[in-house]
Coordinates of all heavy atoms in Angstrom, one line a residue:
G125 N 60.7 189.4 185.3 CA 59.8 188.6 186.1 C 58.3 188.8 185.7 O 57.6 187.9 185.7
D126 N 58.0 190.0 185.2 CA 56.6 190.3 184.9 C 56.0 189.4 183.9 O 54.9 188.9 184.0 CB 56.5 191.8 184.4 CG 56.8 192.7 185.6 OD1 56.7 192.2 186.7 OD2 57.0 193.9 185.2
R127 N 56.9 189.1 182.8 CA 56.3 188.2 181.8 C 56.0 186.8 182.3 O 55.1 186.1 182.0 CB 57.3 188.1 180.7 CG 57.1 189.1 179.6 CD 58.2 189.3 178.7 NE 58.2 188.1 177.7 CZ 59.2 187.9 176.9 NH1 60.3 188.6 176.9 NH2 59.2 186.8 176.1
L128 N 56.9 186.3 183.2 CA 56.7 185.0 183.8 C 55.5 185.0 184.7 O 54.7 184.1 184.7 CB 57.9 184.6 184.6 CG 59.1 183.9 183.9 CD1 60.3 183.7 184.9 CD2 58.7 182.7 183.2
I129 N 55.4 186.1 185.5 CA 54.2 186.2 186.4 C 52.9 186.2 185.6 O 52.0 185.4 186.0 CB 54.3 187.5 187.2 CG1 55.5 187.3 188.2 CG2 53.0 187.8 188.0 CD1 55.8 188.6 189.0
E130 N 52.9 186.9 184.4 CA 51.7 186.9 183.7 C 51.3 185.5 183.1 O 50.2 185.1 183.3 CB 52.0 187.8 182.4 CG 50.8 188.3 181.7 CD 51.2 188.9 180.4 OE1 52.0 189.8 180.4 OE2 50.5 188.6 179.4
R131 N 52.3 184.8 182.7 CA 52.0 183.3 182.3 C 51.5 182.5 183.4 O 50.6 181.8 183.2 CB 53.3 182.7 181.7 CG 53.8 183.3 180.5 CD 53.0 182.6 179.3 NE 53.4 183.2 178.1 CZ 53.1 182.7 176.9 NH1 52.5 181.6 176.8 NH2 53.5 183.4 175.8
M132 N 52.2 182.6 184.5 CA 51.8 181.9 185.6 C 50.4 182.1 186.1 O 49.7 181.3 186.5 CB 52.9 182.1 186.8 CG 54.2 181.5 186.6 SD 55.5 182.1 187.6 CE 55.3 181.2 189.1
S133 N 50.1 183.4 186.1 CA 48.8 183.8 186.6 C 47.7 183.4 185.7 O 46.5 183.2 186.0 CB 48.7 185.3 186.8 OG 48.8 186.0 185.6
Q134 N 48.1 183.0 184.5 CA 47.0 182.4 183.5 C 47.0 180.9 183.7 O 46.3 180.1 182.9 CB 47.5 182.7 182.1 CG 47.3 184.1 181.7 CD 48.1 184.5 180.4 OE1 48.7 183.6 179.7 NE2 48.1 185.7 180.0
G135 N 47.7 180.4 184.7 CA 47.7 178.9 185.0 C 48.6 178.1 184.2 O 48.5 176.9 184.2
Q136 N 49.5 178.7 183.6 CA 50.5 178.0 182.7 C 51.8 177.8 183.5 O 52.4 178.7 184.1 CB 50.8 178.7 181.4 CG 51.6 177.8 180.4 CD 51.8 178.5 179.1 OE1 52.5 179.5 179.0 NE2 51.0 178.1 178.0
V137 N 52.3 176.5 183.5 CA 53.6 176.3 184.2 C 54.7 176.7 183.2 O 54.7 176.3 182.1 CB 53.7 174.8 184.6 CG1 55.1 174.5 185.1 CG2 52.7 174.3 185.6
A138 N 55.6 177.5 183.7 CA 56.8 177.9 182.8 C 57.9 176.9 183.2 O 58.3 176.8 184.3 CB 57.2 179.3 183.2
V139 N 58.4 176.2 182.2 CA 59.5 175.3 182.4 C 60.7 176.0 181.8 O 60.9 176.0 180.6 CB 59.3 173.9 181.8 CG1 60.4 172.9 182.1 CG2 57.9 173.3 182.2
V140 N 61.6 176.4 182.7 CA 62.7 177.2 182.2 C 64.0 176.4 182.2 O 64.3 175.7 183.1 CB 62.9 178.4 183.2 CG1 64.1 179.3 182.7 CG2 61.7 179.2 183.3
A141 N 64.7 176.5 181.1 CA 66.0 175.9 181.1 C 67.0 176.5 182.0 O 67.3 177.8 181.9 CB 66.6 176.0 179.6
G142 N 67.5 175.8 183.0 CA 68.5 176.4 183.9 C 69.8 176.6 183.3 O 70.1 176.3 182.2
F143 N 70.8 177.3 184.1 CA 72.1 177.3 183.7 C 72.5 178.4 182.6 O 73.7 178.6 182.4 CB 72.6 175.9 183.3 CG 74.0 175.6 182.9 CD1 75.1 176.0 183.7 CD2 74.4 174.9 181.8 CE1 76.4 175.8 183.5 CE2 75.7 174.6 181.5 CZ 76.7 175.0 182.3
Q144 N 71.4 178.9 182.0 CA 71.7 179.8 180.9 C 70.9 181.1 180.8 O 69.9 181.1 181.4 CB 71.4 179.0 179.5 CG 70.0 178.3 179.6 CD 69.5 178.1 178.2 OE1 69.0 178.9 177.5 NE2 69.6 176.8 177.8
G145 N 71.6 182.1 180.2 CA 70.9 183.3 180.0 C 71.4 183.9 178.7 O 72.0 183.2 177.9
I146 N 71.2 185.2 178.6 CA 71.7 185.9 177.4 C 72.6 187.0 177.8 O 72.3 187.9 178.6 CB 70.6 186.4 176.5 CG1 71.0 187.1 175.2 CG2 69.5 187.3 177.2 CD1 69.9 187.4 174.2
G147 N 73.8 187.1 177.1 CA 74.7 188.2 177.5 C 74.5 189.4 176.8 O 73.7 189.5 175.8
P148 N 75.3 190.5 177.1 CA 75.1 191.8 176.4 C 75.4 191.7 174.9 O 74.9 192.6 174.1 CB 76.2 192.7 177.1 CG 76.9 191.8 178.2 CD 76.3 190.5 178.1
D149 N 76.1 190.6 174.5 CA 76.4 190.5 173.1 C 75.3 189.7 172.4 O 75.4 189.4 171.2 CB 77.7 189.7 172.9 CG 77.8 188.4 173.7 OD1 76.8 188.0 174.3 OD2 78.8 187.7 173.6
G150 N 74.2 189.5 173.1 CA 73.0 188.9 172.4 C 73.2 187.4 172.3 O 72.5 186.7 171.6
R151 N 74.3 186.8 172.9 CA 74.6 185.4 172.7 C 74.2 184.7 174.1 O 74.3 185.3 175.1 CB 76.0 185.2 172.3 CG 76.4 185.9 171.0 CD 77.7 185.3 170.5 NE 77.5 184.0 170.0 CZ 77.1 183.6 168.8 NH1 76.8 184.5 167.9 NH2 76.9 182.3 168.5
I152 N 74.0 183.3 173.9 CA 73.8 182.5 175.1 C 75.0 182.6 176.0 O 76.2 182.4 175.6 CB 73.6 181.0 174.8 CG1 72.3 180.9 173.8 CG2 73.5 180.1 176.0 CD1 72.1 179.5 173.3
A153 N 74.8 182.7 177.3 CA 75.9 182.7 178.3 C 75.4 181.7 179.4 O 74.3 181.7 179.9 CB 76.0 184.1 178.9
T154 N 76.4 180.9 179.9 CA 76.1 180.0 181.0 C 76.6 180.5 182.3 O 77.6 181.3 182.3 CB 76.6 178.6 180.7 OG1 78.0 178.6 180.6 CG2 76.0 178.0 179.4
L155 N 76.1 180.0 183.4 CA 76.3 180.5 184.7 C 77.4 179.9 185.5 O 77.5 180.0 186.7 CB 75.0 180.6 185.5 CG 73.8 181.2 184.7 CD1 72.5 181.1 185.6 CD2 74.1 182.6 184.4
G156 N 78.1 179.0 184.9 CA 79.1 178.2 185.7 C 78.5 176.9 186.1 O 77.3 176.8 186.3
R157 N 79.4 175.9 186.3 CA 78.9 174.5 186.6 C 78.0 174.6 187.9 O 78.2 175.3 188.9 CB 80.0 173.5 186.8 CG 80.8 173.3 185.6 CD 80.0 172.9 184.3 NE 79.2 171.8 184.5 CZ 79.6 170.5 184.3 NH1 80.8 170.3 183.9 NH2 78.8 169.5 184.5
G158 N 76.9 173.8 187.9 CA 75.9 173.8 188.9 C 75.0 175.0 189.0 O 74.3 175.3 189.9
G159 N 75.1 175.8 187.8 CA 74.4 177.1 187.8 C 72.9 177.0 187.8 O 72.2 178.1 187.9
S160 N 72.3 175.9 187.5 CA 70.8 175.9 187.6 C 70.2 176.3 188.9 O 69.1 176.7 189.0 CB 70.3 174.5 187.2 OG 70.7 174.1 185.9
D161 N 71.0 176.0 190.0 CA 70.5 176.4 191.3 C 70.4 177.8 191.3 O 69.3 178.4 191.9 CB 71.5 176.0 192.4 CG 71.7 174.5 192.5 OD1 70.8 173.8 192.2 OD2 72.9 174.1 192.8
T162 N 71.3 178.5 190.7 CA 71.3 180.0 190.7 C 70.2 180.6 189.8 O 69.5 181.5 190.2 CB 72.7 180.6 190.3 OG1 73.7 180.0 191.1 CG2 72.7 182.1 190.3
S163 N 70.0 179.9 188.7 CA 68.8 180.3 187.8 C 67.6 180.2 188.6 O 66.7 181.2 188.6 CB 68.6 179.3 186.7 OG 69.8 179.1 185.9
A164 N 67.3 179.1 189.5 CA 66.1 179.0 190.2 C 65.9 180.0 191.2 O 64.9 180.6 191.3 CB 66.1 177.6 190.8
V165 N 66.9 180.3 192.0 CA 66.8 181.2 193.1 C 66.6 182.6 192.5 O 65.8 183.4 192.9 CB 68.1 181.3 194.0 CG1 67.9 182.3 195.1 CG2 68.1 179.8 194.7
A166 N 67.3 183.0 191.4 CA 67.1 184.3 190.8 C 65.7 184.4 190.2 O 65.1 185.5 190.3 CB 68.2 184.4 189.7
I167 N 65.2 183.4 189.6 CA 63.8 183.5 189.1 C 62.9 183.6 190.3 O 61.9 184.3 190.2 CB 63.6 182.2 188.2 CG1 64.4 182.4 186.9 CG2 62.0 182.1 187.9 CD1 64.3 181.2 186.0
A168 N 63.1 182.9 191.4 CA 62.2 182.9 192.5 C 62.2 184.4 193.0 O 61.1 184.9 193.3 CB 62.7 182.0 193.6
A169 N 63.4 185.0 193.0 CA 63.4 186.4 193.5 C 62.7 187.3 192.5 O 61.9 188.2 192.9 CB 64.8 186.9 193.7
A170 N 62.8 187.1 191.2 CA 62.3 187.9 190.2 C 60.7 187.8 190.2 O 60.0 188.8 189.9 CB 62.7 187.6 188.8
V171 N 60.2 186.6 190.4 CA 58.7 186.5 190.4 C 58.1 186.6 191.8 O 56.9 186.4 192.0 CB 58.3 185.2 189.7 CG1 58.8 185.1 188.3 CG2 58.7 183.9 190.6

Side-chain angles (χ1 to χ4, degrees):
D126 292 343
R127 271 169 71 192
L128 278 177
I129 291 173
E130 198 189 311
R131 291 277 175 167
M132 290 162 83
S133 64
Q134 291 162 4
Q136 191 176 72
V137 174
V139 185
V140 181
F143 182 50
Q144 50 160 283
I146 179 168
D149 54 1
R151 305 199 64 92
I152 296 171
T154 62
L155 309 177
R157 297 306 304 272
S160 300
D161 297 330
T162 303
S163 310
V165 175
I167 288 169
V171 303

